[in-house]
Amino acid sequence: MARSRLTPEREGELYEAVLDLLREVGYDALTMDAVAARTRSSKATLYRQWGSKPELVARALRHNKPVSLAEIDTGTLRGDFRVMLERTDDCQMEKDSALMRGLVHAVHDNPELLQALRELLIEPEMTGLDEVLDRAVRRGEVDAGNPALKLVPHMLIGAFIARPLIDDQPVDTTFLHAYVDAVVLPSLGV
């Protein structure tokens, strides 16, 4: 796809508009027409640049995560998790959580969206988290045979889903720090 026509700034504006629309109307009601109108661009340009709504949404979400988890290396797993959690503020985390909850519902009816999210968002994040955990194993902080290593993503995603359901509270950094310290790190023997 020809991506060179857009400046990084313009591409960032388009992605932010897509995320704003997603928060406002949800995935199913999001249309390329609405994105074109919001961003003062043509629908043809959007399709030429991204090919499909799922691709555009997944790339917008990826763009929203500028730091790769693999780049975080403080020298300790506890420090790495602290930096991960401090990458966003509570307001942004609440907006992102609401966005992801809406997308979780949308993927059930949209296999193309699930595929795009896996390729562009989930797999890079999983690869980065795996690298962080592999470094902890190499440093001797975590036993390589610890069965919780494979369950860290599930634990973290579970926190985002469970907090609003159980406590009727948004996920925030205070909760996540407590959760990582009480659940994730102890399960890894840290």
Side-chain angles (χ1 to χ4, degrees), residues 41-107:
S41 55
S42 76
K43 197 162 76 166
T45 298
L46 297 176
Y47 278 109
R48 188 170 50 252
Q49 288 290 119
W50 291 282
S52 68
K53 180 171 91 168
E55 174 92 4
L56 175 57
V57 167
R59 288 204 180 274
L61 288 163
R62 180 80 229 151
H63 181 77
N64 204 31
K65 301 208 172 290
V67 177
S68 166
L69 294 182
E71 295 172 20
I72 298 171
D73 186 1
T74 65
T76 68
L77 185 58
R78 185 176 301 278
D80 292 350
F81 271 112
R82 290 223 177 279
V83 169
M84 282 181 219
L85 296 177
E86 291 162 4
R87 289 189 332 184
T88 187
D89 61 34
D90 288 344
C91 180
Q92 186 65 43
M93 193 178 300
E94 190 169 348
K95 286 169 34 176
D96 289 349
S97 294
L99 198 58
M100 294 313 287
R101 281 194 304 275
L103 287 172
V104 165
H105 294 291
V107 296

Short mmCIF file of all heavy atoms in Angstrom, two decimals, residues 41-107:
data_model
loop_
_atom_site.label_atom_id
_atom_site.label_comp_id
_atom_site.label_asym_id
_atom_site.label_seq_id
_atom_site.Cartn_x
_atom_site.Cartn_y
_atom_site.Cartn_z
N SER A 41 -11.06 14.07 4.56
CA SER A 41 -10.33 13.33 3.53
C SER A 41 -11.35 12.54 2.73
O SER A 41 -12.52 12.48 3.09
CB SER A 41 -9.29 12.40 4.17
OG SER A 41 -9.89 11.54 5.10
N SER A 42 -10.91 11.95 1.65
CA SER A 42 -11.84 11.17 0.83
C SER A 42 -11.85 9.72 1.27
O SER A 42 -10.84 9.19 1.76
CB SER A 42 -11.47 11.27 -0.65
OG SER A 42 -10.36 10.46 -0.92
N LYS A 43 -13.00 9.09 1.08
CA LYS A 43 -13.10 7.67 1.40
C LYS A 43 -12.13 6.87 0.52
O LYS A 43 -11.51 5.91 0.99
CB LYS A 43 -14.55 7.21 1.17
CG LYS A 43 -14.86 5.90 1.82
CD LYS A 43 -16.35 5.66 1.97
CE LYS A 43 -16.98 5.28 0.66
NZ LYS A 43 -18.33 4.73 0.81
N ALA A 44 -11.96 7.29 -0.71
CA ALA A 44 -11.03 6.60 -1.62
C ALA A 44 -9.61 6.64 -1.07
O ALA A 44 -8.88 5.64 -1.13
CB ALA A 44 -11.09 7.24 -3.01
N THR A 45 -9.22 7.78 -0.50
CA THR A 45 -7.89 7.89 0.10
C THR A 45 -7.73 6.93 1.26
O THR A 45 -6.70 6.26 1.40
CB THR A 45 -7.63 9.34 0.59
OG1 THR A 45 -7.68 10.20 -0.54
CG2 THR A 45 -6.29 9.46 1.28
N LEU A 46 -8.77 6.84 2.09
CA LEU A 46 -8.71 5.93 3.24
C LEU A 46 -8.54 4.49 2.77
O LEU A 46 -7.72 3.75 3.32
CB LEU A 46 -9.97 6.08 4.10
CG LEU A 46 -10.18 7.44 4.75
CD1 LEU A 46 -11.52 7.47 5.49
CD2 LEU A 46 -9.04 7.80 5.68
N TYR A 47 -9.33 4.09 1.79
CA TYR A 47 -9.22 2.71 1.30
C TYR A 47 -7.88 2.46 0.61
O TYR A 47 -7.30 1.39 0.73
CB TYR A 47 -10.38 2.37 0.35
CG TYR A 47 -11.63 1.98 1.09
CD1 TYR A 47 -12.74 2.83 1.12
CD2 TYR A 47 -11.72 0.77 1.77
CE1 TYR A 47 -13.89 2.47 1.81
CE2 TYR A 47 -12.86 0.40 2.46
CZ TYR A 47 -13.94 1.25 2.48
OH TYR A 47 -15.07 0.90 3.17
N ARG A 48 -7.37 3.48 -0.09
CA ARG A 48 -6.08 3.33 -0.76
C ARG A 48 -4.96 3.18 0.29
O ARG A 48 -4.06 2.38 0.12
CB ARG A 48 -5.81 4.54 -1.67
CG ARG A 48 -4.60 4.40 -2.54
CD ARG A 48 -4.48 5.48 -3.61
NE ARG A 48 -4.63 6.82 -3.11
CZ ARG A 48 -5.70 7.62 -3.32
NH1 ARG A 48 -6.73 7.18 -4.02
NH2 ARG A 48 -5.76 8.84 -2.82
N GLN A 49 -5.05 3.93 1.36
CA GLN A 49 -4.01 3.89 2.40
C GLN A 49 -4.10 2.64 3.27
O GLN A 49 -3.08 2.09 3.65
CB GLN A 49 -4.12 5.12 3.31
CG GLN A 49 -3.69 6.42 2.68
CD GLN A 49 -2.19 6.48 2.45
OE1 GLN A 49 -1.74 6.61 1.34
NE2 GLN A 49 -1.43 6.39 3.51
N TRP A 50 -5.33 2.23 3.63
CA TRP A 50 -5.47 1.16 4.61
C TRP A 50 -6.23 -0.07 4.12
O TRP A 50 -6.18 -1.11 4.76
CB TRP A 50 -6.14 1.69 5.89
CG TRP A 50 -5.22 2.61 6.61
CD1 TRP A 50 -4.17 2.24 7.39
CD2 TRP A 50 -5.22 4.03 6.58
NE1 TRP A 50 -3.51 3.36 7.85
CE2 TRP A 50 -4.14 4.47 7.38
CE3 TRP A 50 -6.01 4.99 5.96
CZ2 TRP A 50 -3.86 5.81 7.57
CZ3 TRP A 50 -5.73 6.33 6.17
CH2 TRP A 50 -4.66 6.72 6.95
N GLY A 51 -6.93 0.04 3.04
CA GLY A 51 -7.57 -1.14 2.45
C GLY A 51 -8.90 -1.54 3.05
O GLY A 51 -9.79 -1.96 2.33
N SER A 52 -9.05 -1.41 4.39
CA SER A 52 -10.28 -1.84 5.01
C SER A 52 -10.44 -1.18 6.38
O SER A 52 -9.48 -0.69 6.97
CB SER A 52 -10.28 -3.37 5.21
OG SER A 52 -9.31 -3.73 6.18
N LYS A 53 -11.66 -1.19 6.87
CA LYS A 53 -11.94 -0.65 8.20
C LYS A 53 -11.16 -1.40 9.29
O LYS A 53 -10.55 -0.75 10.15
CB LYS A 53 -13.45 -0.67 8.47
CG LYS A 53 -13.84 -0.12 9.81
CD LYS A 53 -15.34 0.05 9.97
CE LYS A 53 -15.99 -1.16 10.56
NZ LYS A 53 -17.39 -0.92 10.98
N PRO A 54 -11.14 -2.75 9.28
CA PRO A 54 -10.37 -3.43 10.32
C PRO A 54 -8.90 -3.04 10.34
O PRO A 54 -8.31 -2.84 11.40
CB PRO A 54 -10.54 -4.92 9.98
CG PRO A 54 -11.80 -4.99 9.21
CD PRO A 54 -11.89 -3.69 8.45
N GLU A 55 -8.30 -2.91 9.16
CA GLU A 55 -6.89 -2.53 9.06
C GLU A 55 -6.68 -1.12 9.62
O GLU A 55 -5.73 -0.87 10.38
CB GLU A 55 -6.45 -2.59 7.60
CG GLU A 55 -5.07 -2.08 7.35
CD GLU A 55 -3.99 -3.15 7.40
OE1 GLU A 55 -4.31 -4.33 7.56
OE2 GLU A 55 -2.82 -2.78 7.28
N LEU A 56 -7.56 -0.20 9.27
CA LEU A 56 -7.45 1.19 9.75
C LEU A 56 -7.58 1.24 11.28
O LEU A 56 -6.79 1.89 11.95
CB LEU A 56 -8.52 2.06 9.09
CG LEU A 56 -8.62 3.51 9.58
CD1 LEU A 56 -7.30 4.24 9.43
CD2 LEU A 56 -9.73 4.24 8.84
N VAL A 57 -8.55 0.52 11.82
CA VAL A 57 -8.75 0.50 13.27
C VAL A 57 -7.55 -0.10 13.98
O VAL A 57 -7.05 0.45 14.96
CB VAL A 57 -10.06 -0.25 13.62
CG1 VAL A 57 -10.13 -0.55 15.11
CG2 VAL A 57 -11.27 0.56 13.17
N ALA A 58 -7.06 -1.22 13.49
CA ALA A 58 -5.92 -1.88 14.13
C ALA A 58 -4.68 -0.99 14.07
O ALA A 58 -3.93 -0.89 15.04
CB ALA A 58 -5.65 -3.24 13.47
N ARG A 59 -4.45 -0.34 12.94
CA ARG A 59 -3.28 0.54 12.82
C ARG A 59 -3.42 1.77 13.74
O ARG A 59 -2.43 2.24 14.30
CB ARG A 59 -3.04 0.96 11.39
CG ARG A 59 -2.51 -0.19 10.56
CD ARG A 59 -1.74 0.26 9.33
NE ARG A 59 -1.28 -0.89 8.61
CZ ARG A 59 -0.14 -1.54 8.86
NH1 ARG A 59 0.65 -1.14 9.83
NH2 ARG A 59 0.20 -2.59 8.15
N ALA A 60 -4.64 2.28 13.88
CA ALA A 60 -4.87 3.41 14.78
C ALA A 60 -4.55 3.01 16.22
O ALA A 60 -3.91 3.76 16.95
CB ALA A 60 -6.31 3.91 14.67
N LEU A 61 -4.96 1.82 16.60
CA LEU A 61 -4.67 1.33 17.95
C LEU A 61 -3.17 1.10 18.14
O LEU A 61 -2.62 1.41 19.18
CB LEU A 61 -5.44 0.04 18.22
CG LEU A 61 -6.95 0.23 18.40
CD1 LEU A 61 -7.66 -1.11 18.25
CD2 LEU A 61 -7.26 0.86 19.74
N ARG A 62 -2.52 0.56 17.13
CA ARG A 62 -1.07 0.34 17.20
C ARG A 62 -0.32 1.67 17.33
O ARG A 62 0.62 1.80 18.09
CB ARG A 62 -0.61 -0.42 15.94
CG ARG A 62 0.86 -0.70 15.90
CD ARG A 62 1.22 -1.90 16.75
NE ARG A 62 2.32 -1.56 17.61
CZ ARG A 62 2.55 -2.09 18.80
NH1 ARG A 62 1.77 -2.99 19.28
NH2 ARG A 62 3.56 -1.72 19.52
N HIS A 63 -0.77 2.66 16.56
CA HIS A 63 -0.14 3.98 16.58
C HIS A 63 -0.24 4.60 17.98
O HIS A 63 0.63 5.34 18.40
CB HIS A 63 -0.81 4.89 15.54
CG HIS A 63 -0.21 6.26 15.47
ND1 HIS A 63 0.98 6.51 14.84
CD2 HIS A 63 -0.62 7.45 15.97
CE1 HIS A 63 1.26 7.79 14.94
NE2 HIS A 63 0.31 8.38 15.63
N ASN A 64 -1.31 4.25 18.68
CA ASN A 64 -1.56 4.78 20.02
C ASN A 64 -0.61 4.18 21.05
O ASN A 64 -0.58 4.62 22.19
CB ASN A 64 -3.02 4.47 20.40
CG ASN A 64 -3.56 5.42 21.43
OD1 ASN A 64 -3.17 6.57 21.49
ND2 ASN A 64 -4.47 4.94 22.25
N LYS A 65 0.16 3.16 20.68
CA LYS A 65 1.11 2.51 21.59
C LYS A 65 2.51 2.69 21.03
O LYS A 65 3.08 1.80 20.43
CB LYS A 65 0.79 1.01 21.70
CG LYS A 65 -0.60 0.75 22.22
CD LYS A 65 -0.63 -0.56 22.94
CE LYS A 65 -1.92 -0.80 23.63
NZ LYS A 65 -2.17 0.05 24.78
N PRO A 66 3.08 3.89 21.20
CA PRO A 66 4.35 4.19 20.53
C PRO A 66 5.56 3.44 21.08
O PRO A 66 6.53 3.27 20.38
CB PRO A 66 4.51 5.69 20.73
CG PRO A 66 3.70 6.01 21.95
CD PRO A 66 2.58 5.01 21.98
N VAL A 67 5.52 2.99 22.34
CA VAL A 67 6.67 2.32 22.92
C VAL A 67 6.45 0.81 22.88
O VAL A 67 5.42 0.32 23.32
CB VAL A 67 6.89 2.78 24.38
CG1 VAL A 67 8.04 2.02 25.01
CG2 VAL A 67 7.15 4.27 24.44
N SER A 68 7.40 0.11 22.34
CA SER A 68 7.33 -1.34 22.33
C SER A 68 7.72 -1.86 23.70
O SER A 68 8.67 -1.37 24.32
CB SER A 68 8.29 -1.89 21.28
OG SER A 68 8.48 -3.27 21.48
N LEU A 69 7.00 -2.86 24.18
CA LEU A 69 7.33 -3.46 25.48
C LEU A 69 8.76 -4.00 25.48
O LEU A 69 9.44 -3.96 26.50
CB LEU A 69 6.35 -4.57 25.83
CG LEU A 69 4.90 -4.17 26.09
CD1 LEU A 69 4.08 -5.40 26.46
CD2 LEU A 69 4.80 -3.12 27.17
N ALA A 70 9.21 -4.51 24.34
CA ALA A 70 10.56 -5.09 24.26
C ALA A 70 11.64 -4.05 24.54
O ALA A 70 12.75 -4.39 24.94
CB ALA A 70 10.77 -5.73 22.90
N GLU A 71 11.32 -2.77 24.33
CA GLU A 71 12.30 -1.70 24.56
C GLU A 71 12.47 -1.39 26.04
O GLU A 71 13.40 -0.69 26.43
CB GLU A 71 11.87 -0.43 23.82
CG GLU A 71 11.86 -0.58 22.31
CD GLU A 71 11.25 0.63 21.62
OE1 GLU A 71 11.18 1.72 22.22
OE2 GLU A 71 10.83 0.47 20.46
N ILE A 72 11.55 -1.86 26.88
CA ILE A 72 11.61 -1.57 28.31
C ILE A 72 12.57 -2.58 28.96
O ILE A 72 12.33 -3.78 28.92
CB ILE A 72 10.21 -1.66 28.95
CG1 ILE A 72 9.29 -0.61 28.33
CG2 ILE A 72 10.29 -1.52 30.46
CD1 ILE A 72 7.84 -0.74 28.73
N ASP A 73 13.65 -2.06 29.54
CA ASP A 73 14.62 -2.93 30.20
C ASP A 73 15.29 -2.15 31.32
O ASP A 73 16.28 -1.46 31.11
CB ASP A 73 15.66 -3.42 29.19
CG ASP A 73 16.62 -4.44 29.78
OD1 ASP A 73 16.47 -4.79 30.98
OD2 ASP A 73 17.52 -4.89 29.06
N THR A 74 14.73 -2.28 32.52
CA THR A 74 15.25 -1.55 33.67
C THR A 74 16.30 -2.37 34.42
O THR A 74 16.95 -1.85 35.33
CB THR A 74 14.12 -1.21 34.66
OG1 THR A 74 13.58 -2.42 35.20
CG2 THR A 74 13.03 -0.39 33.98
N GLY A 75 16.41 -3.65 34.09
CA GLY A 75 17.33 -4.52 34.80
C GLY A 75 16.65 -5.45 35.79
O GLY A 75 17.27 -6.38 36.29
N THR A 76 15.36 -5.17 36.08
CA THR A 76 14.59 -6.07 36.95
C THR A 76 13.18 -6.20 36.38
O THR A 76 12.66 -5.27 35.75
CB THR A 76 14.46 -5.55 38.40
OG1 THR A 76 13.62 -4.38 38.42
CG2 THR A 76 15.81 -5.25 39.02
N LEU A 77 12.56 -7.34 36.63
CA LEU A 77 11.19 -7.55 36.16
C LEU A 77 10.24 -6.58 36.86
O LEU A 77 9.36 -6.00 36.23
CB LEU A 77 10.75 -8.99 36.38
CG LEU A 77 9.39 -9.36 35.81
CD1 LEU A 77 9.32 -9.11 34.31
CD2 LEU A 77 9.06 -10.82 36.12
N ARG A 78 10.41 -6.38 38.15
CA ARG A 78 9.56 -5.45 38.89
C ARG A 78 9.67 -4.04 38.28
O ARG A 78 8.68 -3.36 38.06
CB ARG A 78 9.95 -5.43 40.37
CG ARG A 78 9.05 -4.58 41.24
CD ARG A 78 9.41 -4.68 42.72
NE ARG A 78 9.35 -6.03 43.24
CZ ARG A 78 8.23 -6.64 43.64
NH1 ARG A 78 7.09 -6.01 43.57
NH2 ARG A 78 8.28 -7.87 44.11
N GLY A 79 10.89 -3.62 38.00
CA GLY A 79 11.11 -2.31 37.38
C GLY A 79 10.49 -2.22 35.99
O GLY A 79 9.91 -1.20 35.63
N ASP A 80 10.61 -3.31 35.22
CA ASP A 80 10.02 -3.32 33.88
C ASP A 80 8.50 -3.16 33.95
O ASP A 80 7.90 -2.39 33.19
CB ASP A 80 10.37 -4.61 33.14
CG ASP A 80 11.86 -4.71 32.79
OD1 ASP A 80 12.58 -3.70 32.93
OD2 ASP A 80 12.28 -5.80 32.37
N PHE A 81 7.86 -3.88 34.89
CA PHE A 81 6.41 -3.74 35.04
C PHE A 81 6.04 -2.33 35.48
O PHE A 81 5.05 -1.78 35.02
CB PHE A 81 5.85 -4.79 36.02
CG PHE A 81 5.47 -6.08 35.36
CD1 PHE A 81 6.19 -7.25 35.61
CD2 PHE A 81 4.40 -6.15 34.47
CE1 PHE A 81 5.84 -8.44 35.01
CE2 PHE A 81 4.05 -7.34 33.86
CZ PHE A 81 4.77 -8.48 34.12
N ARG A 82 6.83 -1.74 36.37
CA ARG A 82 6.54 -0.37 36.82
C ARG A 82 6.56 0.59 35.62
O ARG A 82 5.67 1.42 35.48
CB ARG A 82 7.56 0.09 37.85
CG ARG A 82 7.41 -0.62 39.17
CD ARG A 82 7.52 0.33 40.34
NE ARG A 82 7.31 -0.37 41.58
CZ ARG A 82 6.12 -0.69 42.09
NH1 ARG A 82 5.04 -0.37 41.44
NH2 ARG A 82 6.02 -1.32 43.23
N VAL A 83 7.59 0.47 34.78
CA VAL A 83 7.68 1.34 33.61
C VAL A 83 6.50 1.10 32.66
O VAL A 83 5.91 2.04 32.13
CB VAL A 83 9.04 1.15 32.88
CG1 VAL A 83 9.05 1.86 31.53
CG2 VAL A 83 10.17 1.66 33.76
N MET A 84 6.14 -0.17 32.45
CA MET A 84 4.98 -0.48 31.60
C MET A 84 3.73 0.24 32.10
O MET A 84 2.98 0.81 31.32
CB MET A 84 4.70 -1.99 31.60
CG MET A 84 5.60 -2.80 30.73
SD MET A 84 5.07 -4.54 30.86
CE MET A 84 6.64 -5.35 30.88
N LEU A 85 3.52 0.18 33.41
CA LEU A 85 2.31 0.76 33.99
C LEU A 85 2.34 2.28 33.98
O LEU A 85 1.29 2.92 33.96
CB LEU A 85 2.11 0.24 35.41
CG LEU A 85 1.85 -1.25 35.53
CD1 LEU A 85 1.76 -1.66 37.00
CD2 LEU A 85 0.59 -1.66 34.78
N GLU A 86 3.51 2.85 33.99
CA GLU A 86 3.62 4.31 34.03
C GLU A 86 3.60 4.94 32.64
O GLU A 86 3.65 6.17 32.53
CB GLU A 86 4.88 4.71 34.81
CG GLU A 86 4.74 4.40 36.28
CD GLU A 86 6.06 4.38 37.04
OE1 GLU A 86 7.11 4.67 36.44
OE2 GLU A 86 6.01 4.04 38.24
N ARG A 87 3.50 4.12 31.60
CA ARG A 87 3.48 4.65 30.23
C ARG A 87 2.21 5.42 29.91
O ARG A 87 2.14 6.11 28.91
CB ARG A 87 3.62 3.53 29.21
CG ARG A 87 4.97 2.91 29.16
CD ARG A 87 5.15 1.97 28.02
NE ARG A 87 3.91 1.34 27.58
CZ ARG A 87 3.83 0.44 26.65
NH1 ARG A 87 4.90 0.04 26.04
NH2 ARG A 87 2.67 -0.08 26.31
N THR A 88 1.18 5.29 30.72
CA THR A 88 -0.07 5.96 30.42
C THR A 88 -0.67 6.50 31.71
O THR A 88 -0.38 6.01 32.79
CB THR A 88 -1.06 4.99 29.72
OG1 THR A 88 -2.20 5.71 29.30
CG2 THR A 88 -1.48 3.86 30.63
N ASP A 89 -1.48 7.53 31.58
CA ASP A 89 -2.13 8.06 32.78
C ASP A 89 -3.51 7.42 32.94
O ASP A 89 -4.00 6.73 32.06
CB ASP A 89 -2.23 9.60 32.72
CG ASP A 89 -3.04 10.10 31.53
OD1 ASP A 89 -4.01 9.43 31.13
OD2 ASP A 89 -2.71 11.18 31.02
N ASP A 90 -4.13 7.67 34.10
CA ASP A 90 -5.41 7.03 34.40
C ASP A 90 -6.50 7.40 33.42
O ASP A 90 -7.31 6.56 33.04
CB ASP A 90 -5.85 7.38 35.83
CG ASP A 90 -5.01 6.68 36.89
OD1 ASP A 90 -4.30 5.71 36.54
OD2 ASP A 90 -5.07 7.10 38.05
N CYS A 91 -6.53 8.66 33.00
CA CYS A 91 -7.56 9.10 32.05
C CYS A 91 -7.42 8.35 30.72
O CYS A 91 -8.39 7.84 30.18
CB CYS A 91 -7.45 10.61 31.83
SG CYS A 91 -8.66 11.26 30.69
N GLN A 92 -6.19 8.27 30.21
CA GLN A 92 -5.95 7.54 28.96
C GLN A 92 -6.25 6.06 29.14
O GLN A 92 -6.82 5.42 28.25
CB GLN A 92 -4.50 7.74 28.50
CG GLN A 92 -4.21 7.15 27.14
CD GLN A 92 -4.98 7.83 26.02
OE1 GLN A 92 -5.09 9.04 25.98
NE2 GLN A 92 -5.55 7.05 25.13
N MET A 93 -5.89 5.50 30.29
CA MET A 93 -6.14 4.08 30.55
C MET A 93 -7.64 3.80 30.56
O MET A 93 -8.09 2.80 30.01
CB MET A 93 -5.53 3.67 31.89
CG MET A 93 -5.45 2.18 32.08
SD MET A 93 -4.67 1.71 33.63
CE MET A 93 -3.05 2.43 33.47
N GLU A 94 -8.43 4.68 31.15
CA GLU A 94 -9.88 4.49 31.18
C GLU A 94 -10.45 4.56 29.76
O GLU A 94 -11.28 3.75 29.38
CB GLU A 94 -10.53 5.55 32.08
CG GLU A 94 -11.99 5.26 32.34
CD GLU A 94 -12.58 6.14 33.43
OE1 GLU A 94 -11.83 6.81 34.16
OE2 GLU A 94 -13.82 6.13 33.54
N LYS A 95 -9.95 5.51 28.97
CA LYS A 95 -10.41 5.62 27.57
C LYS A 95 -10.02 4.37 26.79
O LYS A 95 -10.81 3.82 26.03
CB LYS A 95 -9.83 6.88 26.91
CG LYS A 95 -10.50 8.14 27.39
CD LYS A 95 -9.83 9.44 27.00
CE LYS A 95 -9.14 9.54 25.69
NZ LYS A 95 -8.62 10.88 25.39
N ASP A 96 -8.78 3.90 26.97
CA ASP A 96 -8.31 2.71 26.26
C ASP A 96 -9.08 1.47 26.69
O ASP A 96 -9.41 0.62 25.87
CB ASP A 96 -6.82 2.48 26.50
CG ASP A 96 -5.94 3.51 25.80
OD1 ASP A 96 -6.46 4.27 24.96
OD2 ASP A 96 -4.74 3.56 26.10
N SER A 97 -9.39 1.36 27.99
CA SER A 97 -10.14 0.21 28.49
C SER A 97 -11.53 0.16 27.89
O SER A 97 -12.01 -0.89 27.47
CB SER A 97 -10.24 0.25 30.02
OG SER A 97 -8.98 0.10 30.59
N ALA A 98 -12.19 1.32 27.83
CA ALA A 98 -13.53 1.38 27.24
C ALA A 98 -13.46 1.00 25.76
O ALA A 98 -14.31 0.26 25.26
CB ALA A 98 -14.11 2.78 27.41
N LEU A 99 -12.45 1.48 25.08
CA LEU A 99 -12.26 1.17 23.68
C LEU A 99 -12.06 -0.33 23.48
O LEU A 99 -12.69 -0.95 22.63
CB LEU A 99 -11.02 1.92 23.20
CG LEU A 99 -10.78 2.12 21.73
CD1 LEU A 99 -11.94 2.85 21.08
CD2 LEU A 99 -9.51 2.92 21.54
N MET A 100 -11.20 -0.93 24.30
CA MET A 100 -10.92 -2.36 24.16
C MET A 100 -12.14 -3.21 24.50
O MET A 100 -12.39 -4.22 23.85
CB MET A 100 -9.72 -2.76 25.03
CG MET A 100 -8.40 -2.13 24.58
SD MET A 100 -8.06 -2.24 22.80
CE MET A 100 -7.65 -3.96 22.64
N ARG A 101 -12.92 -2.80 25.52
CA ARG A 101 -14.13 -3.55 25.84
C ARG A 101 -15.08 -3.56 24.66
O ARG A 101 -15.69 -4.58 24.34
CB ARG A 101 -14.81 -2.96 27.08
CG ARG A 101 -14.16 -3.39 28.38
CD ARG A 101 -15.03 -3.08 29.58
NE ARG A 101 -15.41 -1.69 29.71
CZ ARG A 101 -14.67 -0.75 30.28
NH1 ARG A 101 -13.51 -1.05 30.81
NH2 ARG A 101 -15.09 0.51 30.35
N GLY A 102 -15.20 -2.42 23.98
CA GLY A 102 -16.06 -2.35 22.80
C GLY A 102 -15.54 -3.23 21.67
O GLY A 102 -16.32 -3.88 20.98
N LEU A 103 -14.23 -3.27 21.51
CA LEU A 103 -13.65 -4.08 20.44
C LEU A 103 -13.76 -5.57 20.73
O LEU A 103 -13.90 -6.37 19.82
CB LEU A 103 -12.20 -3.69 20.20
CG LEU A 103 -12.02 -2.34 19.50
CD1 LEU A 103 -10.56 -1.94 19.48
CD2 LEU A 103 -12.59 -2.36 18.09
N VAL A 104 -13.71 -5.94 22.02
CA VAL A 104 -13.86 -7.36 22.38
C VAL A 104 -15.21 -7.88 21.88
O VAL A 104 -15.30 -8.98 21.35
CB VAL A 104 -13.72 -7.55 23.91
CG1 VAL A 104 -14.22 -8.91 24.36
CG2 VAL A 104 -12.26 -7.38 24.32
N HIS A 105 -16.24 -7.06 22.00
CA HIS A 105 -17.55 -7.45 21.49
C HIS A 105 -17.56 -7.51 19.97
O HIS A 105 -18.13 -8.42 19.38
CB HIS A 105 -18.64 -6.48 21.98
CG HIS A 105 -18.84 -6.53 23.45
ND1 HIS A 105 -19.40 -7.61 24.09
CD2 HIS A 105 -18.55 -5.63 24.42
CE1 HIS A 105 -19.44 -7.38 25.39
NE2 HIS A 105 -18.92 -6.20 25.63
N ALA A 106 -16.91 -6.54 19.34
CA ALA A 106 -16.93 -6.45 17.88
C ALA A 106 -16.21 -7.62 17.20
O ALA A 106 -16.61 -8.04 16.12
CB ALA A 106 -16.31 -5.12 17.43
N VAL A 107 -15.16 -8.16 17.83
CA VAL A 107 -14.40 -9.22 17.17
C VAL A 107 -15.22 -10.50 17.00
O VAL A 107 -14.95 -11.29 16.10
CB VAL A 107 -13.06 -9.56 17.88
CG1 VAL A 107 -12.12 -8.37 17.84
CG2 VAL A 107 -13.27 -10.06 19.27
#
